[in-house]
Amino acid sequence: GKGKLGQLDLEGALIARDRVGIQDFVLLDAHNSETAFLDNLKKRFTEDLIYTYIGTLLISVNPYKELDIYTKKQMDLYMGVNFFELPPHIYALADNVYHTMLSEANNHFILISGESGAGKTEASKKILQYYAVSCPSSTLLDTVRDRMLMSNPVLEAFGNAKTMKNYNSSRFGKYMDIQFDYAVGGHILSYLLEKSRVVHQNHGERNFHIFYQLVEGGEEDLLRHLGLEKDTKHYSYLVQGECSNVSSINDKNDWKTVKNALSVIDFDASDIEHLFGIIASVLHMGNVHFDGDTKGYLLGIHVQVLHAALTFRKIEAKSEEVLSPFTVDHAIYARDALAKAIYGRAFTWLVNRINESLENKDSERKTIIGLLDIYGFEVFFVNSFEQFCINYCNEKLQQLFIQLTLKSEQEEYEAEGIGWEPVQFFNNKIICDLVEEKHRGIISVLDEECMRPGDATDLTFLEKLEEKMGNHPHFVTHKLADKKTRKSLERGDFRLLHYAGEVTYCVVGFIDKNNDLLYKNIKDVMRLSKNPIIQECFPATEGDSRRRPETVATQFKNSLLRLTEILTAKEAWYVRCLKSNDNKQSGKFDEVLVRHQVKYLGLMEHLRVRRAGFAYRRRYEVFLQRYKALCPATWPHWRGVPAEGVEKLVQHLGYQPDEYKMGRTKIFIRYARTLFATEDAFEICKHELGKQQRIQKRPTKIETCWRGVQARKERDRRAWAVKIIKQFIKGYITRREAKTTDNSEYLAFVRQSYLNRLKGNLPKTVLDKTTWLTPPPVMTEILRQLNTRMMVRKYVRGITPQKKAQLQQKVVTSAIFKGKKDSYPSSIAVPFVDTRINEQDINMRVLQTIHHERIKYSVPVVKYDRNGFKPRPRQLILSQAAVYLVEEAKIKQRVDYVSLKGASVSNLGDSVMILHVALNDPKQKGDLVLQCDHLFEALTKLAMIANKQNNIKVVQGSIKFEIQAGKEGGVDFSTGQEPMIYKGKNGHLMVVAPRVKSR
């Protein structure tokens, strides 16, 4: 059913419309109903039909699973086929754009839009892959195509990041020109890279992929050269979202892909080294911290330098007189501004280098297909400057979208001689003007505030907006709103009524993000860099020092206007991507979420424009070929002009004059129901024709054919039986020999018999070693191994995350203590817990002191004085960076993990452990002698947190420890009837452990 339906053309699929919906929304009878629109999408989604048309616009619903519809066979199927001849597919759109470009010798573009996570990047990849396979091939063309395809993983690494909605969200807009004709080439334009992500990420989000790929996947020599360590948690710019490691993202594999892609795109080793040097410099920059005095003025700088161990370098102002002192806030702003500028300019350099490798140097005129992968409309809980720019971009593209759609419809009507009827639609020019109008728009007001002397703030910007936009119907603030609306607006918010609905923007950060300024002396310093990429990014001739550079919003507005000019000069095609749900769950269709996207993408508006005139149009030849059987005058052959044949056909079917129009080359049908009735009549007609053909066959011919068929069947059956019996006898005789043609069938029979018996006698558990049936000589033990592996896999999949964590800890415990310490066997069945002391039981002053290091584990212990061995109850706290020994509100001793040499325990059944401390500082206290009831748990946690698994020793007899530098003490261990701990006559601590009966 489903597979067969997948091959039907547009009209043929109408017979199943009640079950799987309609392939083209233009044929939706209730085209003004949003509910009918969603029902049709849902029907198709349920049948794994993720593509639907609105005329030539393609809607793609993300299924969040792999579908077998992108194979080479599928590509071949769609090559050179009429757009509506096969079911909707992204290959159909790509192929139609390509062949239209060739036949009309003009330029086209494909606009791909949708929310983050809707599948825009994947759609772009599928189109590029289709062109790579379907276009003519040569060595030069293949090289450029490979570079074009491999530019994707590079741009994704440097321009994509994990967000709350999408693990691979594009944080920039991308427009790529693909050049065709005698040669092939490409050119990429990028828009509004989200540079603020370099220095700040919201909770649950990550920085750009390339940072994690370099740290996690980079080779040891490279990381050493760049001064980096293989741990993303060491870098301030990578941990703000608290999700630097994501199970579904393999940074190590992605690193290999990016390195390979850079070499394919023709980056040499020097370029790659300098590029990653810039990425490393941004990471180091994030680890620069500042100290201030009581007034907030800058006193010193802490630079965290990461090599074999963590060290800190401090630069102090001391007593020198400092003129025009920076505050700490100024310093942080300058640091972050520089980091953003370096990364943003390096990204621009990267795009330019990719363009150089894709450049088509042929001077002949080239036709172009543009590919615009742009961020969709964004509405978050808090919307800032980035969302304002993105939504302004979508507002402009919606304006262009409607204009080009109307233009294309009007041109087709005029070409066919059909009268054009004006279409009512919402003209969003009023919103575009509100944002971009010169001297009056929001961007102009924002620029004025950024440039005026005095203390311009985000709130003064909002006040200026209220002055200039106060009466605008699409603009409202807390101050301007009525009493009811005011409840939903904060004092620092303004709300715009976009074409897609209301969006509330918070003005905090608008001024800083729009300025995006670098101090001049910082630019001068950057020009001294020996890195050639930095030198290109910060040229000596940059700008006029007397003229202020353009603001970010103005740059974006101007680049958007240039993009609009580029697109207006080309023929437009559209792909609208929808998310089926927010949880990336296959098979789930969230109607509320999809309805929201349908509204934001203006799909109903587009459908209304397409349906304003005629729902369906087809060339006369195609229409007549399909439906000619419905009219006696046109069946079985029409010898005249196709247009006259269609006229006779529709008159016979009873079409009313207002239901259709005859164009120069096409018939135009106004209502979808008219086409449905025609298709249903055609389906009935097909059955009737089939019946008549069967009745007309003569009985004698049928009988003759039937007897011949039966006789041939009997002959073949007997020949088969003789052959099988001979093979079976020969196979039995040679059954113990190697497999040959004679015995292969018999051996297969033996195997089948064994498998049938084995089916009812499979072992139920991994530990069952006796149930398995002995295989015949022709069988191997491979099945037994596969069955065991399957049962093991089933057991492993049943393990919960909590149980897995327990097992991982127990494995570490086993590696340290198994066969070495008497009390280890009795500890195996005792589960470990996350901590033995709740945070509310730790003194508040202690928590405030060490909260920045994140407490990992706490346990009560008894600490024995190094001199005299007096027992004292203490709390042992393991943080992310150090071990703390705490007495109520006082931290008695802190040992960072770098200074912790290891730990020692005896091989007996006691619970005493000694933590050995490196005495690099004369003031450093000596080793810790502790007794802990949860010894195995505590030492396992310590080993895993501090990575000290190889530094925990199990010792027989005595353990020496350092009281202080140059002075040693000892702990002697023995067994007895009762456990005891006391000071011995030899001055050592004596530990008597109970005897363990069996090990």
Side-chain angles (χ1 to χ4, degrees), residues 352-402:
N352 291 338
R353 279 289 284 106
I354 291 173
N355 283 336
E356 287 175 20
S357 75
L358 299 179
E359 185 182 0
N360 186 338
K361 297 179 174 62
D362 186 353
S363 59
E364 293 290 323
R365 179 183 175 275
K366 295 169 280 290
T367 47
I368 288 171
I369 294 177
L371 206 56
L372 181 60
D373 176 359
I374 201 82
Y375 13 62
F377 210 88
E378 287 192 352
V379 185
F380 297 142
F381 183 72
V382 176
N383 301 289
S384 188
F385 179 75
E386 290 83 5
Q387 282 68 51
F388 172 76
C389 290
I390 286 169
N391 293 344
Y392 162 51
C393 172
N394 276 270
E395 200 72 62
K396 287 293 289 181
L397 290 176
Q398 173 68 8
Q399 186 182 31
L400 180 68
F401 176 47
I402 295 296

Short mmCIF file of all heavy atoms in Angstrom, two decimals, residues 352-402:
data_model
loop_
_atom_site.label_atom_id
_atom_site.label_comp_id
_atom_site.label_asym_id
_atom_site.label_seq_id
_atom_site.Cartn_x
_atom_site.Cartn_y
_atom_site.Cartn_z
N ASN A 352 35.80 33.57 3.58
CA ASN A 352 36.49 34.10 2.39
C ASN A 352 37.46 33.07 1.81
O ASN A 352 37.59 32.94 0.58
CB ASN A 352 37.24 35.38 2.75
CG ASN A 352 36.30 36.53 3.05
OD1 ASN A 352 35.14 36.51 2.61
ND2 ASN A 352 36.75 37.51 3.81
N ARG A 353 38.16 32.34 2.68
CA ARG A 353 39.10 31.31 2.20
C ARG A 353 38.36 30.17 1.51
O ARG A 353 38.82 29.63 0.49
CB ARG A 353 39.93 30.76 3.37
CG ARG A 353 41.09 31.63 3.74
CD ARG A 353 42.23 31.60 2.70
NE ARG A 353 43.01 30.38 2.77
CZ ARG A 353 42.97 29.38 1.92
NH1 ARG A 353 42.19 29.43 0.87
NH2 ARG A 353 43.73 28.32 2.08
N ILE A 354 37.21 29.80 2.05
CA ILE A 354 36.39 28.75 1.40
C ILE A 354 35.95 29.25 0.03
O ILE A 354 35.99 28.51 -0.96
CB ILE A 354 35.18 28.38 2.29
CG1 ILE A 354 35.65 27.65 3.55
CG2 ILE A 354 34.19 27.50 1.52
CD1 ILE A 354 34.55 27.40 4.57
N ASN A 355 35.56 30.52 -0.04
CA ASN A 355 35.13 31.09 -1.33
C ASN A 355 36.25 31.05 -2.36
O ASN A 355 36.02 30.79 -3.55
CB ASN A 355 34.64 32.53 -1.13
CG ASN A 355 33.26 32.58 -0.53
OD1 ASN A 355 32.49 31.63 -0.65
ND2 ASN A 355 32.94 33.65 0.15
N GLU A 356 37.48 31.31 -1.91
CA GLU A 356 38.63 31.25 -2.83
C GLU A 356 38.77 29.84 -3.42
O GLU A 356 39.07 29.66 -4.60
CB GLU A 356 39.91 31.64 -2.10
CG GLU A 356 40.02 33.13 -1.79
CD GLU A 356 41.25 33.44 -0.95
OE1 GLU A 356 42.20 32.61 -0.95
OE2 GLU A 356 41.27 34.49 -0.28
N SER A 357 38.55 28.82 -2.58
CA SER A 357 38.71 27.44 -3.06
C SER A 357 37.56 27.02 -3.98
O SER A 357 37.70 26.10 -4.77
CB SER A 357 38.81 26.48 -1.86
OG SER A 357 37.55 26.28 -1.27
N LEU A 358 36.39 27.72 -3.85
CA LEU A 358 35.23 27.37 -4.68
C LEU A 358 35.11 28.24 -5.93
O LEU A 358 34.24 28.02 -6.76
CB LEU A 358 33.94 27.53 -3.85
CG LEU A 358 33.79 26.68 -2.60
CD1 LEU A 358 32.46 27.00 -1.91
CD2 LEU A 358 33.86 25.20 -2.92
N GLU A 359 35.99 29.22 -6.05
CA GLU A 359 35.86 30.22 -7.11
C GLU A 359 35.93 29.60 -8.50
O GLU A 359 36.79 28.78 -8.79
CB GLU A 359 36.96 31.28 -6.97
CG GLU A 359 36.82 32.43 -7.95
CD GLU A 359 37.94 33.43 -7.81
OE1 GLU A 359 38.82 33.23 -6.95
OE2 GLU A 359 37.96 34.41 -8.57
N ASN A 360 34.98 30.00 -9.33
CA ASN A 360 34.97 29.58 -10.73
C ASN A 360 35.70 30.65 -11.54
O ASN A 360 35.23 31.77 -11.69
CB ASN A 360 33.51 29.45 -11.20
CG ASN A 360 33.42 28.89 -12.60
OD1 ASN A 360 34.37 28.97 -13.38
ND2 ASN A 360 32.27 28.33 -12.94
N LYS A 361 36.88 30.31 -12.01
CA LYS A 361 37.73 31.30 -12.69
C LYS A 361 37.40 31.45 -14.18
O LYS A 361 38.04 32.21 -14.89
CB LYS A 361 39.21 30.92 -12.51
CG LYS A 361 39.63 30.94 -11.04
CD LYS A 361 41.09 30.55 -10.87
CE LYS A 361 41.54 30.72 -9.43
NZ LYS A 361 40.82 29.89 -8.49
N ASP A 362 36.38 30.70 -14.65
CA ASP A 362 35.96 30.82 -16.05
C ASP A 362 35.27 32.17 -16.26
O ASP A 362 34.34 32.53 -15.53
CB ASP A 362 34.99 29.67 -16.36
CG ASP A 362 34.63 29.62 -17.82
OD1 ASP A 362 35.01 30.54 -18.56
OD2 ASP A 362 33.97 28.64 -18.22
N SER A 363 35.72 32.94 -17.23
CA SER A 363 35.18 34.29 -17.45
C SER A 363 33.84 34.27 -18.17
O SER A 363 33.17 35.28 -18.28
CB SER A 363 36.18 35.13 -18.25
OG SER A 363 36.44 34.50 -19.50
N GLU A 364 33.43 33.08 -18.69
CA GLU A 364 32.15 32.99 -19.41
C GLU A 364 30.99 33.27 -18.45
O GLU A 364 31.08 33.03 -17.25
CB GLU A 364 31.99 31.59 -20.01
CG GLU A 364 32.98 31.26 -21.10
CD GLU A 364 32.71 32.04 -22.38
OE1 GLU A 364 31.53 32.25 -22.68
OE2 GLU A 364 33.67 32.46 -23.03
N ARG A 365 29.89 33.72 -19.01
CA ARG A 365 28.69 33.96 -18.19
C ARG A 365 28.21 32.64 -17.58
O ARG A 365 28.15 31.62 -18.24
CB ARG A 365 27.59 34.55 -19.07
CG ARG A 365 26.29 34.82 -18.32
CD ARG A 365 25.22 35.33 -19.26
NE ARG A 365 23.95 35.49 -18.57
CZ ARG A 365 23.07 34.50 -18.39
NH1 ARG A 365 23.36 33.30 -18.85
NH2 ARG A 365 21.93 34.71 -17.77
N LYS A 366 27.85 32.71 -16.31
CA LYS A 366 27.43 31.50 -15.60
C LYS A 366 26.01 31.69 -15.08
O LYS A 366 25.64 32.78 -14.63
CB LYS A 366 28.37 31.20 -14.43
CG LYS A 366 29.80 30.86 -14.87
CD LYS A 366 30.73 30.83 -13.70
CE LYS A 366 31.17 32.21 -13.27
NZ LYS A 366 32.09 32.85 -14.23
N THR A 367 25.21 30.64 -15.14
CA THR A 367 23.91 30.69 -14.48
C THR A 367 24.07 30.18 -13.05
O THR A 367 24.94 29.36 -12.75
CB THR A 367 22.88 29.82 -15.23
OG1 THR A 367 23.46 28.56 -15.51
CG2 THR A 367 22.45 30.48 -16.51
N ILE A 368 23.21 30.66 -12.18
CA ILE A 368 23.40 30.46 -10.74
C ILE A 368 22.14 29.94 -10.09
O ILE A 368 21.02 30.35 -10.43
CB ILE A 368 23.82 31.80 -10.07
CG1 ILE A 368 25.26 32.16 -10.45
CG2 ILE A 368 23.67 31.75 -8.55
CD1 ILE A 368 25.68 33.54 -10.03
N ILE A 369 22.32 29.01 -9.13
CA ILE A 369 21.25 28.65 -8.20
C ILE A 369 21.74 29.06 -6.81
O ILE A 369 22.76 28.58 -6.33
CB ILE A 369 20.93 27.14 -8.23
CG1 ILE A 369 20.34 26.75 -9.58
CG2 ILE A 369 19.96 26.79 -7.10
CD1 ILE A 369 20.07 25.27 -9.72
N GLY A 370 21.03 29.98 -6.18
CA GLY A 370 21.38 30.41 -4.82
C GLY A 370 20.69 29.53 -3.80
O GLY A 370 19.57 29.05 -4.02
N LEU A 371 21.34 29.32 -2.66
CA LEU A 371 20.79 28.49 -1.59
C LEU A 371 20.86 29.30 -0.31
O LEU A 371 21.95 29.60 0.19
CB LEU A 371 21.64 27.21 -1.46
CG LEU A 371 20.98 25.96 -0.89
CD1 LEU A 371 19.74 25.61 -1.69
CD2 LEU A 371 21.97 24.80 -0.94
N LEU A 372 19.70 29.73 0.20
CA LEU A 372 19.67 30.57 1.39
C LEU A 372 19.16 29.76 2.58
O LEU A 372 17.98 29.40 2.64
CB LEU A 372 18.77 31.79 1.15
CG LEU A 372 18.63 32.78 2.31
CD1 LEU A 372 19.99 33.35 2.69
CD2 LEU A 372 17.67 33.89 1.95
N ASP A 373 20.08 29.45 3.50
CA ASP A 373 19.74 28.71 4.73
C ASP A 373 19.75 29.75 5.85
O ASP A 373 20.80 30.14 6.35
CB ASP A 373 20.80 27.62 4.98
CG ASP A 373 20.58 26.88 6.29
OD1 ASP A 373 19.63 27.23 7.02
OD2 ASP A 373 21.37 25.97 6.60
N ILE A 374 18.55 30.24 6.20
CA ILE A 374 18.46 31.41 7.11
C ILE A 374 17.68 31.02 8.35
O ILE A 374 16.79 30.19 8.31
CB ILE A 374 17.81 32.61 6.39
CG1 ILE A 374 18.17 33.93 7.06
CG2 ILE A 374 16.32 32.44 6.24
CD1 ILE A 374 19.51 34.48 6.66
N TYR A 375 18.03 31.65 9.46
CA TYR A 375 17.34 31.39 10.72
C TYR A 375 15.85 31.73 10.58
O TYR A 375 15.47 32.70 9.95
CB TYR A 375 17.93 32.21 11.86
CG TYR A 375 18.86 33.32 11.44
CD1 TYR A 375 18.41 34.37 10.65
CD2 TYR A 375 20.20 33.31 11.81
CE1 TYR A 375 19.26 35.38 10.25
CE2 TYR A 375 21.05 34.32 11.41
CZ TYR A 375 20.58 35.36 10.63
OH TYR A 375 21.41 36.35 10.25
N GLY A 376 15.01 30.95 11.20
CA GLY A 376 13.58 31.21 11.17
C GLY A 376 13.18 32.19 12.26
O GLY A 376 13.99 32.63 13.06
N PHE A 377 11.91 32.56 12.27
CA PHE A 377 11.36 33.45 13.27
C PHE A 377 11.65 32.88 14.67
O PHE A 377 11.45 31.70 14.90
CB PHE A 377 9.85 33.57 13.04
CG PHE A 377 9.29 34.89 13.45
CD1 PHE A 377 9.27 35.93 12.55
CD2 PHE A 377 8.77 35.09 14.71
CE1 PHE A 377 8.75 37.16 12.91
CE2 PHE A 377 8.24 36.31 15.07
CZ PHE A 377 8.22 37.35 14.17
N GLU A 378 12.16 33.70 15.59
CA GLU A 378 12.53 33.22 16.93
C GLU A 378 11.73 33.95 18.00
O GLU A 378 11.68 35.19 18.02
CB GLU A 378 14.03 33.40 17.20
CG GLU A 378 14.89 32.43 16.44
CD GLU A 378 16.34 32.39 16.90
OE1 GLU A 378 16.73 33.24 17.72
OE2 GLU A 378 17.07 31.51 16.42
N VAL A 379 11.10 33.18 18.88
CA VAL A 379 10.40 33.74 20.04
C VAL A 379 10.79 32.92 21.25
O VAL A 379 10.42 31.75 21.37
CB VAL A 379 8.86 33.70 19.86
CG1 VAL A 379 8.19 34.39 21.03
CG2 VAL A 379 8.45 34.34 18.56
N PHE A 380 11.59 33.51 22.14
CA PHE A 380 12.04 32.83 23.35
C PHE A 380 11.36 33.44 24.56
O PHE A 380 10.58 34.39 24.46
CB PHE A 380 13.56 32.94 23.50
CG PHE A 380 14.33 32.28 22.39
CD1 PHE A 380 15.50 32.83 21.89
CD2 PHE A 380 13.88 31.09 21.82
CE1 PHE A 380 16.21 32.23 20.88
CE2 PHE A 380 14.58 30.47 20.80
CZ PHE A 380 15.74 31.05 20.33
N PHE A 381 11.66 32.91 25.75
CA PHE A 381 11.11 33.45 26.99
C PHE A 381 11.62 34.88 27.17
O PHE A 381 10.89 35.78 27.57
CB PHE A 381 11.53 32.58 28.18
CG PHE A 381 10.94 33.03 29.49
CD1 PHE A 381 9.60 32.85 29.75
CD2 PHE A 381 11.74 33.67 30.43
CE1 PHE A 381 9.05 33.28 30.95
CE2 PHE A 381 11.20 34.10 31.63
CZ PHE A 381 9.85 33.91 31.89
N VAL A 382 12.92 35.08 26.86
CA VAL A 382 13.50 36.43 26.84
C VAL A 382 14.10 36.66 25.46
O VAL A 382 14.96 35.90 25.02
CB VAL A 382 14.60 36.61 27.92
CG1 VAL A 382 15.22 37.99 27.80
CG2 VAL A 382 14.02 36.40 29.32
N ASN A 383 13.63 37.69 24.76
CA ASN A 383 14.10 37.99 23.40
C ASN A 383 14.98 39.23 23.45
O ASN A 383 14.56 40.27 23.96
CB ASN A 383 12.92 38.20 22.46
CG ASN A 383 12.02 36.99 22.41
OD1 ASN A 383 12.39 35.95 21.86
ND2 ASN A 383 10.84 37.08 23.02
N SER A 384 16.19 39.13 22.89
CA SER A 384 17.15 40.23 22.97
C SER A 384 17.46 40.76 21.57
O SER A 384 16.73 40.54 20.61
CB SER A 384 18.42 39.73 23.66
OG SER A 384 19.30 40.81 23.92
N PHE A 385 18.60 41.44 21.46
CA PHE A 385 19.02 42.10 20.22
C PHE A 385 19.11 41.11 19.06
O PHE A 385 18.71 41.42 17.93
CB PHE A 385 20.38 42.77 20.46
CG PHE A 385 20.94 43.48 19.27
CD1 PHE A 385 20.44 44.69 18.84
CD2 PHE A 385 22.00 42.92 18.56
CE1 PHE A 385 20.98 45.35 17.73
CE2 PHE A 385 22.55 43.56 17.46
CZ PHE A 385 22.02 44.77 17.04
N GLU A 386 19.64 39.87 19.34
CA GLU A 386 19.81 38.88 18.27
C GLU A 386 18.45 38.49 17.69
O GLU A 386 18.29 38.38 16.46
CB GLU A 386 20.52 37.63 18.79
CG GLU A 386 21.98 37.82 19.12
CD GLU A 386 22.22 38.41 20.51
OE1 GLU A 386 21.23 38.58 21.25
OE2 GLU A 386 23.36 38.70 20.84
N GLN A 387 17.44 38.26 18.58
CA GLN A 387 16.11 37.89 18.08
C GLN A 387 15.48 39.04 17.31
O GLN A 387 14.77 38.81 16.32
CB GLN A 387 15.20 37.49 19.25
CG GLN A 387 15.44 36.10 19.79
CD GLN A 387 16.77 35.97 20.48
OE1 GLN A 387 17.10 36.78 21.34
NE2 GLN A 387 17.56 34.97 20.11
N PHE A 388 15.73 40.29 17.75
CA PHE A 388 15.22 41.45 17.03
C PHE A 388 15.74 41.47 15.58
O PHE A 388 14.98 41.65 14.63
CB PHE A 388 15.63 42.73 17.77
CG PHE A 388 15.32 44.00 17.03
CD1 PHE A 388 14.04 44.50 16.95
CD2 PHE A 388 16.34 44.71 16.40
CE1 PHE A 388 13.75 45.67 16.26
CE2 PHE A 388 16.07 45.88 15.70
CZ PHE A 388 14.77 46.36 15.62
N CYS A 389 17.05 41.24 15.42
CA CYS A 389 17.64 41.23 14.07
C CYS A 389 17.10 40.06 13.24
O CYS A 389 16.77 40.21 12.06
CB CYS A 389 19.17 41.14 14.17
SG CYS A 389 19.95 42.63 14.82
N ILE A 390 17.04 38.88 13.87
CA ILE A 390 16.57 37.68 13.16
C ILE A 390 15.13 37.86 12.70
O ILE A 390 14.76 37.54 11.56
CB ILE A 390 16.73 36.44 14.06
CG1 ILE A 390 18.21 36.04 14.16
CG2 ILE A 390 15.90 35.27 13.55
CD1 ILE A 390 18.50 35.01 15.23
N ASN A 391 14.27 38.41 13.57
CA ASN A 391 12.86 38.56 13.22
C ASN A 391 12.66 39.69 12.20
O ASN A 391 11.76 39.61 11.36
CB ASN A 391 12.04 38.80 14.49
CG ASN A 391 12.02 37.58 15.39
OD1 ASN A 391 12.36 36.49 14.94
ND2 ASN A 391 11.64 37.75 16.64
N TYR A 392 13.51 40.71 12.25
CA TYR A 392 13.50 41.74 11.21
C TYR A 392 13.85 41.11 9.86
O TYR A 392 13.22 41.39 8.83
CB TYR A 392 14.48 42.85 11.58
CG TYR A 392 14.90 43.75 10.44
CD1 TYR A 392 13.96 44.36 9.60
CD2 TYR A 392 16.25 43.98 10.19
CE1 TYR A 392 14.37 45.18 8.55
CE2 TYR A 392 16.66 44.81 9.15
CZ TYR A 392 15.72 45.40 8.33
OH TYR A 392 16.11 46.20 7.30
N CYS A 393 14.85 40.23 9.86
CA CYS A 393 15.24 39.51 8.64
C CYS A 393 14.05 38.71 8.09
O CYS A 393 13.76 38.75 6.90
CB CYS A 393 16.41 38.58 8.95
SG CYS A 393 16.84 37.47 7.60
N ASN A 394 13.34 38.00 8.96
CA ASN A 394 12.19 37.20 8.53
C ASN A 394 11.06 38.09 8.03
O ASN A 394 10.33 37.72 7.11
CB ASN A 394 11.71 36.32 9.68
CG ASN A 394 12.49 35.03 9.78
OD1 ASN A 394 12.14 34.02 9.18
ND2 ASN A 394 13.59 35.07 10.51
N GLU A 395 10.92 39.27 8.65
CA GLU A 395 9.89 40.21 8.21
C GLU A 395 10.18 40.66 6.77
O GLU A 395 9.30 40.70 5.91
CB GLU A 395 9.89 41.41 9.15
CG GLU A 395 8.62 42.22 9.13
CD GLU A 395 7.44 41.53 9.80
OE1 GLU A 395 7.49 41.24 11.00
OE2 GLU A 395 6.45 41.30 9.08
N LYS A 396 11.47 40.98 6.48
CA LYS A 396 11.86 41.38 5.13
C LYS A 396 11.66 40.25 4.13
O LYS A 396 11.19 40.46 3.01
CB LYS A 396 13.33 41.82 5.11
CG LYS A 396 13.60 43.16 5.76
CD LYS A 396 12.98 44.32 5.00
CE LYS A 396 13.67 44.61 3.69
NZ LYS A 396 13.05 45.77 3.00
N LEU A 397 12.04 39.03 4.54
CA LEU A 397 11.92 37.89 3.63
C LEU A 397 10.45 37.55 3.38
O LEU A 397 10.09 37.12 2.28
CB LEU A 397 12.66 36.68 4.21
CG LEU A 397 14.19 36.80 4.21
CD1 LEU A 397 14.81 35.60 4.90
CD2 LEU A 397 14.74 36.94 2.81
N GLN A 398 9.58 37.74 4.39
CA GLN A 398 8.15 37.53 4.19
C GLN A 398 7.60 38.53 3.18
O GLN A 398 6.80 38.18 2.31
CB GLN A 398 7.40 37.65 5.53
CG GLN A 398 5.88 37.61 5.43
CD GLN A 398 5.35 36.26 5.00
OE1 GLN A 398 6.08 35.29 4.91
NE2 GLN A 398 4.05 36.18 4.75
N GLN A 399 8.06 39.78 3.29
CA GLN A 399 7.64 40.82 2.34
C GLN A 399 8.06 40.42 0.91
O GLN A 399 7.26 40.48 -0.03
CB GLN A 399 8.28 42.15 2.74
CG GLN A 399 7.83 43.34 1.92
CD GLN A 399 8.55 44.61 2.33
OE1 GLN A 399 9.69 44.57 2.76
NE2 GLN A 399 7.88 45.74 2.20
N LEU A 400 9.31 39.98 0.79
CA LEU A 400 9.82 39.54 -0.52
C LEU A 400 9.06 38.31 -1.01
O LEU A 400 8.74 38.19 -2.20
CB LEU A 400 11.31 39.24 -0.40
CG LEU A 400 12.03 38.77 -1.67
CD1 LEU A 400 12.10 39.90 -2.69
CD2 LEU A 400 13.43 38.27 -1.33
N PHE A 401 8.79 37.39 -0.10
CA PHE A 401 8.10 36.13 -0.37
C PHE A 401 6.74 36.39 -1.03
O PHE A 401 6.41 35.84 -2.08
CB PHE A 401 7.97 35.41 0.97
CG PHE A 401 7.21 34.12 0.94
CD1 PHE A 401 7.45 33.16 -0.02
CD2 PHE A 401 6.27 33.84 1.93
CE1 PHE A 401 6.76 31.96 -0.02
CE2 PHE A 401 5.59 32.65 1.94
CZ PHE A 401 5.83 31.71 0.96
N ILE A 402 5.95 37.26 -0.40
CA ILE A 402 4.62 37.55 -0.93
C ILE A 402 4.72 38.28 -2.28
O ILE A 402 4.02 37.96 -3.23
CB ILE A 402 3.81 38.39 0.08
CG1 ILE A 402 3.54 37.56 1.36
CG2 ILE A 402 2.50 38.85 -0.53
CD1 ILE A 402 2.68 36.35 1.15
#
